[in-house]
Amino acid sequence: MRRRWAALGAVGIATAGALIVFPGTSQGSAEGPYYFKCVGPLADGQTIAASISLSSKELTVGQQLVINWQLGDAQRSVKVPDPLNPNHDKGGHLAVTARVKAHGVWTGQGAIDSTGTRLVPADDLRTGKPLSLGLVSPGLATAERAGSGSIEVGPIILDLADVESTWNNDFQAVGDFSHWYGPGWNLVNDPNPYFGNTHFKQDLREAKDEGDEATFTFVGTGVDLIGDKKNDMSEFTLVTDQGNPPDEASERYNAYWQVAGERRVLEKFTAATDLPYGKYTVKIKNQTQDKFARVDAWKVYANTADNLNASPYRTVCSPEPKFPLIPLTVTGGGTSQSPSPDPSGDPSQTPSGDPSVTPSTTPSTTPSNPPGGSPSPSGNVSRPPTPQENFTPLVSVIVQGTPTPTATTTVTLTSTPTVAQVAITPLGGAQTGVAPERSNPGVTVLVVGALLLMGGMVSGLKLLRRRAAHAGER
């Protein structure tokens, strides 16, 4: 059992909602429940509840603090405000970040985040059912200096990213979604059907000068332009970037349709696919003078979600009134952050398989962004390296100021051969490098002994008969 806790302490990940105990720490008690007032479409003006547990309130320098959140049933007030929105037809990804702030025992002030993401089925969104927040990962941090400190309970941040969503050419900016049209772009209302289809929302934008540009900013993993094909249409480019041109994706299309008088609507022109989940801007640019570039709508794809960028459903639930600080004490010296497995522990916990495997026991998941990142809303969340679903623990730990090196313990198991590498020849054996064959004379000795014994008995009987006969003659 000691080996199991040592491994959990080194890896720093366990099931959220259950208190984690590390070697050398005392089990902390749950704090709360705390109540959070929400602002945002998923629970505007409503209250949700949560409790937290600390692995210990008394730490030593270098020791990990583990914070577990338990989200209460008051989350029943969380639901989508527009259940009939067709953007919910394929479900959505609900992302949750529960945050605390550390004071006094780190070299800087920082946030300790517990995060989780899960796919909400379309039926749960379209029927307006309450959304369970589910489980979030433990928050992790390491005490860096001795002294008195505290934990401040922060907000709970919610986002919902639809798996597929369609955005009209003209909409009011929301979250991190927005658009911009340069000079030359006109709004055209067109309710006419074309081969049984009409334009999305029955309008579109168009420009006919070479160089005319427009942009669409979104959060997701891919985007398509929904437009037209017609004999008056131009070539155009779609360039998608994340504010860094070297990382841009560029596509060039010709929307010219050779059949005079025939117009194709709701045509799809792919701008980018398989992007890491994040905020992007796609730019359309007309490449042909006196030919039209047209924008009917944009289709956005999301195969996961997080709280680094604001979705249209961004909701922030803040502690209200402000909760009292939770005190911490850190003493000098210390407990190793990642203890080595105890060789005297339960042998059933010994890793199996190749004895040369050297598992890494890094205490927390390494974020893809540097610790100095500054995401919204309060600038202390880091992107998990690989988005995951079903609330697989994704640990985000940010400590501003001087970052704490990540401790890594490597365990190497080596097997010792039990077979001698050199054959041993017994004394007196032939000098052949191997032992001589040995016979087993035991059976022969027993047979000979038995024959001798029987012969002695026969001789004795004969002697006794002779003596008796001799005595009778007298």
Side-chain angles (χ1 to χ4, degrees):
M1 182 60 71
R2 291 177 60 190
R3 184 187 301 274
R4 176 177 297 174
W5 287 121
L8 284 177
V11 176
I13 297 177
T15 303
L19 188 61
I20 301 176
V21 180
F22 285 80
T25 66
S26 59
Q27 178 171 327
S29 58
E31 303 285 340
Y34 297 116
Y35 295 90
F36 300 78
K37 195 66 173 287
C38 299
V39 176
L42 291 178
D44 201 24
Q46 302 299 311
T47 300
I48 63 175
S51 297
I52 67 172
S53 298
L54 306 182
S55 56
S56 178
K57 295 182 182 179
E58 298 180 358
L59 307 169
T60 57
V61 172
Q63 189 173 15
Q64 268 190 343
L65 173 68
V66 184
I67 299 173
N68 277 277
W69 286 77
Q70 297 164 335
L71 303 174
D73 60 4
Q75 63 192 280
R76 62 182 177 271
S77 58
V78 179
K79 59 185 69 176
V80 294
D82 53 350
L84 300 181
N85 189 332
N87 284 340
H88 300 326
D89 286 351
K90 293 192 175 181
H93 304 276
L94 179 65
V96 181
T97 293
R99 173 175 297 161
V100 302
K101 294 182 179 179
H103 301 283
V105 295
W106 282 263
T107 56
Q109 304 303 314
I112 305 174
D113 287 348
S114 299
T115 63
T117 302
R118 73 182 186 91
L119 178 64
V120 181
D123 288 345
D124 290 352
L125 297 177
R126 297 169 78 178
T127 57
K129 295 176 58 177
L131 304 181
S132 171
L133 301 186
L135 302 177
V136 295
S137 66
L140 304 172
T142 302
E144 295 179 347
R145 66 186 185 197
S148 297
S150 60
I151 292 294
E152 176 186 353
V153 179
I156 297 175
I157 305 164
L158 310 176
D159 277 290
L160 180 74
D162 288 306
V163 174
E164 291 185 11
S165 57
T166 304
W167 294 78
N168 194 31
N169 61 83
D170 193 18
F171 62 91
Q172 185 172 357
V174 57
D176 280 330
F177 285 70
S178 64
H179 62 75
W180 169 84
Y181 292 96
W185 287 87
N186 299 313
L187 178 62
V188 179
N189 292 312
D190 185 4
N192 297 317
Y194 300 94
F195 297 95
N197 295 317
T198 61
H199 287 101
F200 188 77
K201 303 291 186 182
Q202 299 186 355
D203 64 7
L204 70 152
R205 294 267 187 164
E206 64 181 20
K208 67 175 183 177
D209 291 331
E210 182 180 359
D212 284 347
E213 294 180 347
T215 63
F216 171 63
T217 299
F218 67 98
V219 177
T221 59
V223 61
D224 295 334
L225 167 68
I226 305 300
D228 294 2
K229 286 184 177 181
K230 195 174 182 292
N231 63 352
D232 64 350
M233 294 206 49
S234 67
E235 290 191 28
F236 61 90
T237 54
L238 296 174
V239 179
T240 308
D241 65 65
Q242 197 177 15
N244 188 0
D247 291 339
E248 68 186 20
S250 180
E251 299 289 343
R252 188 181 184 102
Y253 291 99
N254 190 344
Y256 173 78
W257 188 250
Q258 67 273 18
V259 181
E262 183 175 316
R263 187 170 190 167
R264 318 292 295 188
V265 300
L266 304 181
E267 294 289 320
K268 182 177 74 172
F269 302 91
T270 297
T273 59
D274 299 325
L275 299 169
Y277 183 83
K279 178 180 177 181
Y280 299 91
T281 296
V282 56
K283 177 174 64 178
I284 178 173
K285 184 176 182 179
N286 191 359
Q287 300 292 337
T288 310
Q289 182 64 33
D290 296 327
K291 293 287 186 178
F292 286 100
R294 292 185 171 107
V295 175
D296 185 4
W298 301 93
K299 174 160 280 192
V300 175
Y301 303 88
N303 57 25
T304 186
D306 58 37
N307 302 113
L308 302 181
N309 302 107
S311 75
Y313 296 92
R314 166 60 59 90
T315 299
V316 178
C317 303
S318 302
E320 192 178 272
K322 187 175 181 180
F323 304 149
L325 300 179
I326 303 173
L328 292 176
T329 302
V330 179
T331 58
T335 302
S336 172
Q337 183 175 345
S338 300
S340 300
D342 184 356
S344 63
D346 183 356
S348 66
Q349 302 300 324
T350 303
S352 61
D354 187 352
S356 64
V357 173
T358 57
S360 174
T361 54
T362 306
S364 64
T365 305
T366 304
S368 60
N369 291 335
S374 193
S376 62
S378 58
N380 290 306
V381 190
S382 65
R383 181 186 300 278
T386 305
Q388 302 183 43
E389 291 298 335
N390 299 321
F391 287 96
T392 302
L394 305 174
V395 180
S396 299
V397 183
I398 297 298
V399 178
Q400 297 176 347
T402 304
T404 304
T406 301
T408 302
T409 301
T410 300
V411 180
T412 303
L413 304 179
T414 304
S415 61
T416 302
T418 56
V419 179
Q421 298 179 0
V422 179
I424 300 174
T425 302
L427 185 62
Q431 301 300 316
T432 61
V434 296
E437 296 184 1
R438 298 182 179 181
S439 60
N440 187 356
V443 176
T444 304
V445 172
L446 290 175
V447 172
V448 173
L451 292 175
L452 292 175
L453 179 60
M454 292 178 64
M457 293 175 63
V458 172
S459 299
L461 288 174
K462 291 181 177 181
L463 180 61
L464 289 175
R465 288 177 179 175
R466 289 176 181 176
R467 288 182 177 177
H470 182 70
E473 293 175 354
R474 292 181 178 178

